[in-house]
PDB file of all heavy atoms in Angstrom:
ATOM      1  N   ILE A   1       7.417  22.302 -50.831  1.00 97.00           N
ATOM      2  CA  ILE A   1       5.970  22.446 -50.992  1.00 97.00           C
ATOM      3  C   ILE A   1       5.785  22.757 -52.502  1.00 97.00           C
ATOM      4  O   ILE A   1       6.331  23.685 -52.938  1.00 97.00           O
ATOM      5  CB  ILE A   1       5.367  23.568 -50.153  1.00 97.00           C
ATOM      6  CG1 ILE A   1       5.616  23.285 -48.667  1.00 97.00           C
ATOM      7  CG2 ILE A   1       3.873  23.727 -50.450  1.00 97.00           C
ATOM      8  CD1 ILE A   1       5.093  24.532 -47.760  1.00 97.00           C
ATOM      9  N   GLY A   2       4.944  21.991 -53.157  1.00 97.00           N
ATOM     10  CA  GLY A   2       4.646  22.189 -54.524  1.00 97.00           C
ATOM     11  C   GLY A   2       3.344  23.044 -54.584  1.00 97.00           C
ATOM     12  O   GLY A   2       2.477  22.870 -53.818  1.00 97.00           O
ATOM     13  N   VAL A   3       3.334  24.044 -55.462  1.00 97.00           N
ATOM     14  CA  VAL A   3       2.208  24.922 -55.614  1.00 97.00           C
ATOM     15  C   VAL A   3       1.761  24.972 -57.127  1.00 97.00           C
ATOM     16  O   VAL A   3       2.702  24.756 -58.060  1.00 97.00           O
ATOM     17  CB  VAL A   3       2.479  26.340 -55.078  1.00 97.00           C
ATOM     18  CG1 VAL A   3       2.643  26.400 -53.625  1.00 97.00           C
ATOM     19  CG2 VAL A   3       3.696  27.003 -55.804  1.00 97.00           C
ATOM     20  N   ASP A   4       0.557  25.241 -57.341  1.00 94.00           N
ATOM     21  CA  ASP A   4       0.056  25.368 -58.735  1.00 94.00           C
ATOM     22  C   ASP A   4       0.276  26.787 -59.155  1.00 94.00           C
ATOM     23  O   ASP A   4       0.909  27.594 -58.534  1.00 94.00           O
ATOM     24  CB  ASP A   4      -1.376  24.906 -58.868  1.00 94.00           C
ATOM     25  CG  ASP A   4      -2.310  25.835 -58.059  1.00 94.00           C
ATOM     26  OD1 ASP A   4      -2.041  26.992 -57.601  1.00 94.00           O
ATOM     27  OD2 ASP A   4      -3.511  25.335 -57.813  1.00 94.00           O
ATOM     28  N   ILE A   5      -0.178  27.138 -60.435  1.00 94.00           N
ATOM     29  CA  ILE A   5       0.059  28.440 -61.039  1.00 94.00           C
ATOM     30  C   ILE A   5      -0.489  29.587 -60.112  1.00 94.00           C
ATOM     31  O   ILE A   5      -0.054  30.745 -60.313  1.00 94.00           O
ATOM     32  CB  ILE A   5      -0.445  28.470 -62.524  1.00 94.00           C
ATOM     33  CG1 ILE A   5       0.071  29.669 -63.165  1.00 94.00           C
ATOM     34  CG2 ILE A   5      -1.947  28.553 -62.457  1.00 94.00           C
ATOM     35  CD1 ILE A   5       1.501  29.456 -63.577  1.00 94.00           C
ATOM     36  N   ARG A   6      -1.502  29.329 -59.305  1.00 92.00           N
ATOM     37  CA  ARG A   6      -2.115  30.370 -58.447  1.00 92.00           C
ATOM     38  C   ARG A   6      -1.630  30.231 -56.990  1.00 92.00           C
ATOM     39  O   ARG A   6      -2.325  30.712 -56.134  1.00 92.00           O
ATOM     40  CB  ARG A   6      -3.560  30.253 -58.570  1.00 92.00           C
ATOM     41  CG  ARG A   6      -4.122  30.586 -59.967  1.00 92.00           C
ATOM     42  CD  ARG A   6      -5.524  30.644 -59.943  1.00 92.00           C
ATOM     43  NE  ARG A   6      -6.010  30.903 -61.395  1.00 92.00           N
ATOM     44  CZ  ARG A   6      -7.233  31.094 -61.688  1.00 92.00           C
ATOM     45  NH1 ARG A   6      -8.122  30.903 -60.867  1.00 92.00           N
ATOM     46  NH2 ARG A   6      -7.453  31.331 -62.987  1.00 92.00           N
ATOM     47  N   ASN A   7      -0.504  29.581 -56.816  1.00 93.00           N
ATOM     48  CA  ASN A   7       0.106  29.339 -55.407  1.00 93.00           C
ATOM     49  C   ASN A   7      -0.848  28.501 -54.537  1.00 93.00           C
ATOM     50  O   ASN A   7      -0.839  28.664 -53.385  1.00 93.00           O
ATOM     51  CB  ASN A   7       0.424  30.628 -54.747  1.00 93.00           C
ATOM     52  CG  ASN A   7       1.619  31.293 -55.303  1.00 93.00           C
ATOM     53  OD1 ASN A   7       2.426  30.720 -55.946  1.00 93.00           O
ATOM     54  ND2 ASN A   7       1.772  32.589 -55.032  1.00 93.00           N
ATOM     55  N   GLY A   8      -1.625  27.631 -55.200  1.00 93.00           N
ATOM     56  CA  GLY A   8      -2.480  26.737 -54.513  1.00 93.00           C
ATOM     57  C   GLY A   8      -1.587  25.547 -54.031  1.00 93.00           C
ATOM     58  O   GLY A   8      -0.779  24.988 -54.906  1.00 93.00           O
ATOM     59  N   LEU A   9      -1.750  25.089 -52.808  1.00 94.00           N
ATOM     60  CA  LEU A   9      -0.968  24.077 -52.309  1.00 94.00           C
ATOM     61  C   LEU A   9      -1.216  22.653 -52.960  1.00 94.00           C
ATOM     62  O   LEU A   9      -2.431  22.242 -52.997  1.00 94.00           O
ATOM     63  CB  LEU A   9      -1.155  23.893 -50.824  1.00 94.00           C
ATOM     64  CG  LEU A   9      -0.272  22.893 -50.078  1.00 94.00           C
ATOM     65  CD1 LEU A   9       0.165  23.440 -48.763  1.00 94.00           C
ATOM     66  CD2 LEU A   9      -1.008  21.523 -49.850  1.00 94.00           C
ATOM     67  N   LEU A  10      -0.192  22.076 -53.620  1.00 93.00           N
ATOM     68  CA  LEU A  10      -0.435  20.703 -54.204  1.00 93.00           C
ATOM     69  C   LEU A  10      -0.084  19.592 -53.264  1.00 93.00           C
ATOM     70  O   LEU A  10      -0.752  18.642 -53.037  1.00 93.00           O
ATOM     71  CB  LEU A  10       0.470  20.683 -55.434  1.00 93.00           C
ATOM     72  CG  LEU A  10       0.171  21.483 -56.633  1.00 93.00           C
ATOM     73  CD1 LEU A  10       1.142  21.453 -57.763  1.00 93.00           C
ATOM     74  CD2 LEU A  10      -1.289  21.106 -57.081  1.00 93.00           C
ATOM     75  N   ASP A  11       1.158  19.799 -52.677  1.00 93.00           N
ATOM     76  CA  ASP A  11       1.615  18.689 -51.724  1.00 93.00           C
ATOM     77  C   ASP A  11       2.801  19.213 -50.862  1.00 93.00           C
ATOM     78  O   ASP A  11       3.475  20.137 -51.319  1.00 93.00           O
ATOM     79  CB  ASP A  11       2.030  17.449 -52.426  1.00 93.00           C
ATOM     80  CG  ASP A  11       2.169  16.238 -51.625  1.00 93.00           C
ATOM     81  OD1 ASP A  11       1.699  16.289 -50.406  1.00 93.00           O
ATOM     82  OD2 ASP A  11       2.415  15.100 -52.124  1.00 93.00           O
ATOM     83  N   ILE A  12       3.021  18.642 -49.704  1.00 95.00           N
ATOM     84  CA  ILE A  12       4.024  18.975 -48.833  1.00 95.00           C
ATOM     85  C   ILE A  12       4.848  17.675 -48.641  1.00 95.00           C
ATOM     86  O   ILE A  12       4.310  16.654 -48.259  1.00 95.00           O
ATOM     87  CB  ILE A  12       3.554  19.303 -47.395  1.00 95.00           C
ATOM     88  CG1 ILE A  12       2.703  20.690 -47.601  1.00 95.00           C
ATOM     89  CG2 ILE A  12       4.753  19.676 -46.458  1.00 95.00           C
ATOM     90  CD1 ILE A  12       1.990  21.033 -46.341  1.00 95.00           C
ATOM     91  N   VAL A  13       6.209  17.755 -48.982  1.00 97.00           N
ATOM     92  CA  VAL A  13       7.049  16.530 -49.097  1.00 97.00           C
ATOM     93  C   VAL A  13       8.374  16.796 -48.204  1.00 97.00           C
ATOM     94  O   VAL A  13       9.018  17.725 -48.502  1.00 97.00           O
ATOM     95  CB  VAL A  13       7.499  16.115 -50.520  1.00 97.00           C
ATOM     96  CG1 VAL A  13       8.246  14.825 -50.499  1.00 97.00           C
ATOM     97  CG2 VAL A  13       6.105  15.864 -51.348  1.00 97.00           C
ATOM     98  N   GLU A  14       8.573  15.957 -47.349  1.00 96.00           N
ATOM     99  CA  GLU A  14       9.926  15.928 -46.577  1.00 96.00           C
ATOM    100  C   GLU A  14      10.952  15.336 -47.477  1.00 96.00           C
ATOM    101  O   GLU A  14      10.720  14.159 -47.939  1.00 96.00           O
ATOM    102  CB  GLU A  14       9.806  15.179 -45.298  1.00 96.00           C
ATOM    103  CG  GLU A  14      11.116  15.125 -44.505  1.00 96.00           C
ATOM    104  CD  GLU A  14      11.060  14.374 -43.200  1.00 96.00           C
ATOM    105  OE1 GLU A  14      10.051  14.470 -42.527  1.00 96.00           O
ATOM    106  OE2 GLU A  14      12.043  13.644 -42.932  1.00 96.00           O
ATOM    107  N   VAL A  15      12.005  16.136 -47.807  1.00 97.00           N
ATOM    108  CA  VAL A  15      13.100  15.614 -48.734  1.00 97.00           C
ATOM    109  C   VAL A  15      14.272  15.224 -48.076  1.00 97.00           C
ATOM    110  O   VAL A  15      15.165  14.565 -48.621  1.00 97.00           O
ATOM    111  CB  VAL A  15      13.248  16.585 -49.848  1.00 97.00           C
ATOM    112  CG1 VAL A  15      12.079  16.788 -50.812  1.00 97.00           C
ATOM    113  CG2 VAL A  15      13.748  17.893 -49.383  1.00 97.00           C
ATOM    114  N   ALA A  16      14.532  15.673 -46.770  1.00 97.00           N
ATOM    115  CA  ALA A  16      15.815  15.373 -46.146  1.00 97.00           C
ATOM    116  C   ALA A  16      15.588  15.586 -44.630  1.00 97.00           C
ATOM    117  O   ALA A  16      14.876  16.441 -44.172  1.00 97.00           O
ATOM    118  CB  ALA A  16      16.955  16.137 -46.609  1.00 97.00           C
ATOM    119  N   ARG A  17      16.340  14.818 -43.879  1.00 95.00           N
ATOM    120  CA  ARG A  17      16.321  14.835 -42.429  1.00 95.00           C
ATOM    121  C   ARG A  17      17.706  14.748 -41.889  1.00 95.00           C
ATOM    122  O   ARG A  17      18.534  13.933 -42.375  1.00 95.00           O
ATOM    123  CB  ARG A  17      15.552  13.782 -41.832  1.00 95.00           C
ATOM    124  CG  ARG A  17      15.185  13.944 -40.352  1.00 95.00           C
ATOM    125  CD  ARG A  17      14.253  12.814 -39.845  1.00 95.00           C
ATOM    126  NE  ARG A  17      12.935  13.161 -40.232  1.00 95.00           N
ATOM    127  CZ  ARG A  17      11.967  13.478 -39.354  1.00 95.00           C
ATOM    128  NH1 ARG A  17      12.245  13.637 -38.066  1.00 95.00           N
ATOM    129  NH2 ARG A  17      10.723  13.756 -39.763  1.00 95.00           N
ATOM    130  N   GLY A  18      18.182  15.689 -41.120  1.00 93.00           N
ATOM    131  CA  GLY A  18      19.616  15.770 -40.712  1.00 93.00           C
ATOM    132  C   GLY A  18      19.775  15.612 -39.255  1.00 93.00           C
ATOM    133  O   GLY A  18      19.184  14.809 -38.588  1.00 93.00           O
ATOM    134  N   ASN A  19      20.690  16.453 -38.720  1.00 92.00           N
ATOM    135  CA  ASN A  19      20.924  16.370 -37.225  1.00 92.00           C
ATOM    136  C   ASN A  19      20.554  17.720 -36.625  1.00 92.00           C
ATOM    137  O   ASN A  19      20.140  18.683 -37.269  1.00 92.00           O
ATOM    138  CB  ASN A  19      22.273  15.860 -36.992  1.00 92.00           C
ATOM    139  CG  ASN A  19      23.371  16.748 -37.691  1.00 92.00           C
ATOM    140  OD1 ASN A  19      23.213  17.953 -37.736  1.00 92.00           O
ATOM    141  ND2 ASN A  19      24.441  16.090 -38.113  1.00 92.00           N
ATOM    142  N   VAL A  20      21.066  17.947 -35.370  1.00 88.00           N
ATOM    143  CA  VAL A  20      20.773  19.191 -34.682  1.00 88.00           C
ATOM    144  C   VAL A  20      21.462  20.309 -35.361  1.00 88.00           C
ATOM    145  O   VAL A  20      20.985  21.498 -35.255  1.00 88.00           O
ATOM    146  CB  VAL A  20      21.053  19.063 -33.240  1.00 88.00           C
ATOM    147  CG1 VAL A  20      22.557  19.005 -32.975  1.00 88.00           C
ATOM    148  CG2 VAL A  20      20.386  20.193 -32.451  1.00 88.00           C
ATOM    149  N   ALA A  21      22.515  20.107 -36.064  1.00 86.00           N
ATOM    150  CA  ALA A  21      23.380  21.253 -36.567  1.00 86.00           C
ATOM    151  C   ALA A  21      23.097  21.497 -38.067  1.00 86.00           C
ATOM    152  O   ALA A  21      23.421  22.596 -38.546  1.00 86.00           O
ATOM    153  CB  ALA A  21      24.836  20.954 -36.440  1.00 86.00           C
ATOM    154  N   GLY A  22      22.530  20.581 -38.805  1.00 89.00           N
ATOM    155  CA  GLY A  22      22.191  20.842 -40.177  1.00 89.00           C
ATOM    156  C   GLY A  22      21.531  19.740 -40.941  1.00 89.00           C
ATOM    157  O   GLY A  22      21.286  18.669 -40.322  1.00 89.00           O
ATOM    158  N   VAL A  23      21.278  19.955 -42.145  1.00 93.00           N
ATOM    159  CA  VAL A  23      20.717  18.874 -43.032  1.00 93.00           C
ATOM    160  C   VAL A  23      21.303  19.029 -44.410  1.00 93.00           C
ATOM    161  O   VAL A  23      21.581  20.028 -44.957  1.00 93.00           O
ATOM    162  CB  VAL A  23      19.110  19.070 -43.039  1.00 93.00           C
ATOM    163  CG1 VAL A  23      18.802  20.355 -43.598  1.00 93.00           C
ATOM    164  CG2 VAL A  23      18.559  17.852 -43.932  1.00 93.00           C
ATOM    165  N   GLU A  24      21.671  17.894 -44.992  1.00 94.00           N
ATOM    166  CA  GLU A  24      22.320  17.880 -46.304  1.00 94.00           C
ATOM    167  C   GLU A  24      21.122  17.738 -47.343  1.00 94.00           C
ATOM    168  O   GLU A  24      20.417  16.809 -47.256  1.00 94.00           O
ATOM    169  CB  GLU A  24      23.290  16.632 -46.417  1.00 94.00           C
ATOM    170  CG  GLU A  24      24.043  16.799 -47.754  1.00 94.00           C
ATOM    171  CD  GLU A  24      25.146  15.760 -47.821  1.00 94.00           C
ATOM    172  OE1 GLU A  24      25.646  15.292 -46.717  1.00 94.00           O
ATOM    173  OE2 GLU A  24      25.469  15.305 -48.903  1.00 94.00           O
ATOM    174  N   VAL A  25      21.159  18.650 -48.306  1.00 96.00           N
ATOM    175  CA  VAL A  25      20.121  18.694 -49.310  1.00 96.00           C
ATOM    176  C   VAL A  25      20.676  18.643 -50.705  1.00 96.00           C
ATOM    177  O   VAL A  25      21.613  19.425 -50.985  1.00 96.00           O
ATOM    178  CB  VAL A  25      19.264  20.006 -49.104  1.00 96.00           C
ATOM    179  CG1 VAL A  25      18.040  19.971 -50.120  1.00 96.00           C
ATOM    180  CG2 VAL A  25      18.673  20.097 -47.701  1.00 96.00           C
ATOM    181  N   HIS A  26      20.155  17.768 -51.478  1.00 95.00           N
ATOM    182  CA  HIS A  26      20.677  17.656 -52.898  1.00 95.00           C
ATOM    183  C   HIS A  26      19.460  18.159 -53.856  1.00 95.00           C
ATOM    184  O   HIS A  26      18.306  17.812 -53.628  1.00 95.00           O
ATOM    185  CB  HIS A  26      20.875  16.236 -53.268  1.00 95.00           C
ATOM    186  CG  HIS A  26      21.992  15.632 -52.478  1.00 95.00           C
ATOM    187  ND1 HIS A  26      23.295  15.879 -52.740  1.00 95.00           N
ATOM    188  CD2 HIS A  26      21.988  14.826 -51.441  1.00 95.00           C
ATOM    189  CE1 HIS A  26      24.091  15.332 -51.858  1.00 95.00           C
ATOM    190  NE2 HIS A  26      23.339  14.615 -51.024  1.00 95.00           N
ATOM    191  N   PRO A  27      19.869  18.993 -54.826  1.00 96.00           N
ATOM    192  CA  PRO A  27      18.824  19.434 -55.710  1.00 96.00           C
ATOM    193  C   PRO A  27      17.878  18.299 -56.317  1.00 96.00           C
ATOM    194  O   PRO A  27      16.631  18.529 -56.462  1.00 96.00           O
ATOM    195  CB  PRO A  27      19.663  20.182 -56.798  1.00 96.00           C
ATOM    196  CG  PRO A  27      20.890  20.564 -56.234  1.00 96.00           C
ATOM    197  CD  PRO A  27      21.148  19.394 -55.102  1.00 96.00           C
ATOM    198  N   ARG A  28      18.425  17.162 -56.641  1.00 96.00           N
ATOM    199  CA  ARG A  28      17.596  16.119 -57.261  1.00 96.00           C
ATOM    200  C   ARG A  28      16.475  15.747 -56.215  1.00 96.00           C
ATOM    201  O   ARG A  28      15.409  15.306 -56.691  1.00 96.00           O
ATOM    202  CB  ARG A  28      18.424  14.939 -57.680  1.00 96.00           C
ATOM    203  CG  ARG A  28      19.070  14.176 -56.547  1.00 96.00           C
ATOM    204  CD  ARG A  28      19.888  12.988 -57.045  1.00 96.00           C
ATOM    205  NE  ARG A  28      20.630  12.408 -55.996  1.00 96.00           N
ATOM    206  CZ  ARG A  28      21.886  12.803 -55.614  1.00 96.00           C
ATOM    207  NH1 ARG A  28      22.453  13.757 -56.327  1.00 96.00           N
ATOM    208  NH2 ARG A  28      22.457  12.289 -54.610  1.00 96.00           N
ATOM    209  N   GLU A  29      16.806  15.686 -55.011  1.00 97.00           N
ATOM    210  CA  GLU A  29      15.762  15.298 -53.990  1.00 97.00           C
ATOM    211  C   GLU A  29      14.610  16.425 -53.815  1.00 97.00           C
ATOM    212  O   GLU A  29      13.620  16.051 -53.522  1.00 97.00           O
ATOM    213  CB  GLU A  29      16.332  15.009 -52.677  1.00 97.00           C
ATOM    214  CG  GLU A  29      17.449  13.959 -52.678  1.00 97.00           C
ATOM    215  CD  GLU A  29      16.951  12.655 -53.245  1.00 97.00           C
ATOM    216  OE1 GLU A  29      15.794  12.344 -53.032  1.00 97.00           O
ATOM    217  OE2 GLU A  29      17.769  11.929 -53.900  1.00 97.00           O
ATOM    218  N   VAL A  30      15.049  17.658 -54.070  1.00 98.00           N
ATOM    219  CA  VAL A  30      14.244  18.750 -53.946  1.00 98.00           C
ATOM    220  C   VAL A  30      13.206  18.713 -55.192  1.00 98.00           C
ATOM    221  O   VAL A  30      12.024  18.934 -54.972  1.00 98.00           O
ATOM    222  CB  VAL A  30      14.863  20.061 -53.808  1.00 98.00           C
ATOM    223  CG1 VAL A  30      13.903  21.296 -53.978  1.00 98.00           C
ATOM    224  CG2 VAL A  30      15.616  20.141 -52.458  1.00 98.00           C
ATOM    225  N   PHE A  31      13.758  18.633 -56.280  1.00 98.00           N
ATOM    226  CA  PHE A  31      12.946  18.737 -57.548  1.00 98.00           C
ATOM    227  C   PHE A  31      12.268  17.542 -57.994  1.00 98.00           C
ATOM    228  O   PHE A  31      11.224  17.611 -58.734  1.00 98.00           O
ATOM    229  CB  PHE A  31      13.877  19.343 -58.651  1.00 98.00           C
ATOM    230  CG  PHE A  31      14.103  20.779 -58.391  1.00 98.00           C
ATOM    231  CD1 PHE A  31      15.346  21.174 -57.780  1.00 98.00           C
ATOM    232  CD2 PHE A  31      13.196  21.772 -58.861  1.00 98.00           C
ATOM    233  CE1 PHE A  31      15.581  22.456 -57.574  1.00 98.00           C
ATOM    234  CE2 PHE A  31      13.475  23.028 -58.497  1.00 98.00           C
ATOM    235  CZ  PHE A  31      14.606  23.351 -57.873  1.00 98.00           C
TER     236      PHE A  31
END
């Protein structure tokens, strides 16, 4: 979730989808 300087919601983005046991997340996909 991206927020502005006052913690106002900018956008909500799904960056990874895994399986029942976990999800692999890369910093480049988050940022």
